[in-house]
């Protein structure tokens, strides 16, 4: 989904903030890879994405954030998150994580029934926090290696494994088979609004990364890969702020 464009920001805003204001380090990192095989293509796509942000996404998010009240923006984002909870439930189940699967199912039921279809996040208020996951993480649990780093047009940072996961998620998302064409159009509009809201909410972090860091491509790469490692393994040390693609 388009909202995945900034999911890595939602999960690691503080990490991004630290990385964005620092220069790229010349130290060996945590990855077994010692190169970025698609770097030339990635940098070209990054340049395109950066231009897209500067000329479209950033100004549109400023208009959206200024014109639409925060409770309304939050409600739309809540609804987008809620409608994708069944997909998270499937992935938690495929990972064998039945505790998170059960919590995700309960959260979806509570927010759908008592939160007006997810506009209100009753689940979090009840102590059932969101447990985001995707098929990329399912592949990681199954032992599939991450592969090379990839930057996708529009969608931004990814990897070979997560790109495959994104395709599978799109195919097996239950909402594709339940919603009518009109409802899917509404969902697409809500997803775009969620992206604009995320860009607005994380404006200082994103602006620092894209427009204030010494090398925005490397900064985005570090942030994505290390945040992904943190989400899969839990915990983050100071060494994790090194660039896994840097050379001695």
């Amino acid at each position: 989904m388009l909202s995945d464009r900034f999911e890595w920001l939602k999960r690691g805003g503080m990490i991004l903030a630290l990385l964005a204001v620092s220069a790229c380090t010349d130290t060996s990192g945590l990855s077994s890879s010692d190169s970025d095989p698609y770097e030339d293509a990635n940098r070209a796509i990054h340049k395109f994405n950066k231009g897209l942000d500067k000329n479209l996404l950033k100004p549109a998010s400023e208009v959206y954030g200024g014109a639409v009240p925060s409770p309304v923006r939050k409600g739309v984002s809540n609804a987008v998150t809620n409608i994708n909870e069944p997909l998270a439930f499937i992935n938690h189940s495929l990972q064998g994580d039945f505790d998170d699967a059960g919590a995700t199912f309960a959260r979806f039921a509570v927010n759908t029934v008592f939160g007006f279809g997810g506009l209100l996040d009753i689940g979090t208020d009840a102590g059932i926090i969101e447990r985001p996951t995707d098929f990329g993480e399912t592949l990681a649990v199954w032992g599939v290696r991450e592969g090379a780093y990839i930057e996708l047009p529009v969608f931004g940072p990814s990897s070979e494994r997560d790109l495959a996961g994104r395709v599978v998620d799109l195919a097996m998302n239950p909402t594709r088979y339940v919603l009518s064409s009109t409802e899917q159009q509404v969902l697409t509009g809500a997803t775009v609004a969620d992206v604009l809201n995320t860009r607005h909410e994380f404006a200082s972090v994103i602006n620092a990364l894209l427009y204030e860091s010494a090398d925005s491509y490397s900064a985005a790469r570090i942030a994505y890969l290390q945040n992904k490692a943190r989400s899969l393994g839990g915990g983050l040390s100071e060494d994790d702020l090194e660039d896994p693609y840097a050379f001695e």
Side-chain angles (χ1 to χ4, degrees):
M1 291 188 62
L2 192 60
S3 59
D4 291 339
R5 171 77 168 82
F6 291 119
E7 185 60 33
W8 55 290
L9 289 177
K10 292 181 179 180
R11 297 185 186 181
M14 291 304 296
I15 302 172
L16 260 174
L18 290 172
L19 293 170
V21 297
S22 64
C24 299
T25 57
D26 277 334
T27 56
S28 60
L30 303 176
S31 172
S32 59
S33 300
D34 60 0
S35 65
D36 182 352
Y38 305 128
E39 182 169 359
D40 289 344
N42 284 339
R43 284 188 176 275
I45 294 171
H46 179 78
K47 182 178 180 180
F48 167 80
N49 286 339
K50 190 171 178 179
L52 187 67
D53 179 83
K54 180 179 180 181
N55 296 304
L56 178 62
L57 194 55
K58 182 175 181 289
S61 69
E62 291 170 349
V63 171
Y64 179 71
V68 181
S70 178
V72 176
R73 289 187 278 111
K74 180 64 175 175
V76 172
S77 294
N78 286 343
V80 171
T81 297
N82 188 63
I83 205 165
N84 285 289
E85 293 282 36
L87 180 60
F89 168 79
I90 292 173
N91 277 303
H92 283 307
S93 299
L94 291 173
Q95 294 164 22
D97 189 347
F98 299 110
D99 287 341
D100 279 359
T104 298
F105 179 83
R107 176 182 169 85
F108 175 71
V110 167
N111 283 344
T112 300
V113 175
F114 300 106
F116 302 100
L119 289 172
L120 300 179
D121 188 0
I122 304 300
T124 296
D125 294 338
I128 312 174
I129 63 172
E130 182 188 1
R131 293 162 169 81
T133 190
D134 52 40
F135 196 75
E137 293 189 7
T138 298
L139 290 174
V141 171
W142 290 353
V144 177
R145 300 187 65 179
E146 184 168 56
Y149 174 76
I150 300 173
E151 179 149 352
L152 303 173
V154 181
F155 291 95
S158 187
S159 67
E160 290 176 322
R161 182 183 63 203
D162 287 345
L163 175 58
R166 186 187 296 273
V167 173
V168 174
D169 276 336
L170 180 64
M172 73 176 184
N173 192 336
T175 60
R176 294 187 66 238
Y177 308 102
V178 174
L179 299 181
S180 67
S181 59
T182 300
E183 290 170 331
Q184 289 192 25
Q185 291 174 3
V186 172
L187 175 59
T188 298
T191 301
V192 171
D194 181 36
V195 171
L196 294 178
N197 184 56
T198 301
R199 179 62 177 86
H200 175 74
E201 293 292 330
F202 286 88
S204 60
V205 174
I206 299 171
N207 291 340
L209 185 149
L210 290 179
Y211 307 114
E212 298 173 21
S213 57
D215 182 348
S216 61
Y217 169 74
S218 294
R221 182 180 63 191
I222 298 168
Y224 178 81
L225 292 175
Q226 300 302 349
N227 184 63
K228 176 61 70 172
R230 184 177 71 99
S231 68
L232 290 174
L236 185 72
S237 67
E238 291 182 1
D239 291 339
D240 290 336
L241 296 181
E242 298 175 354
D243 186 349
Y245 287 103
F247 294 93
E248 291 284 3

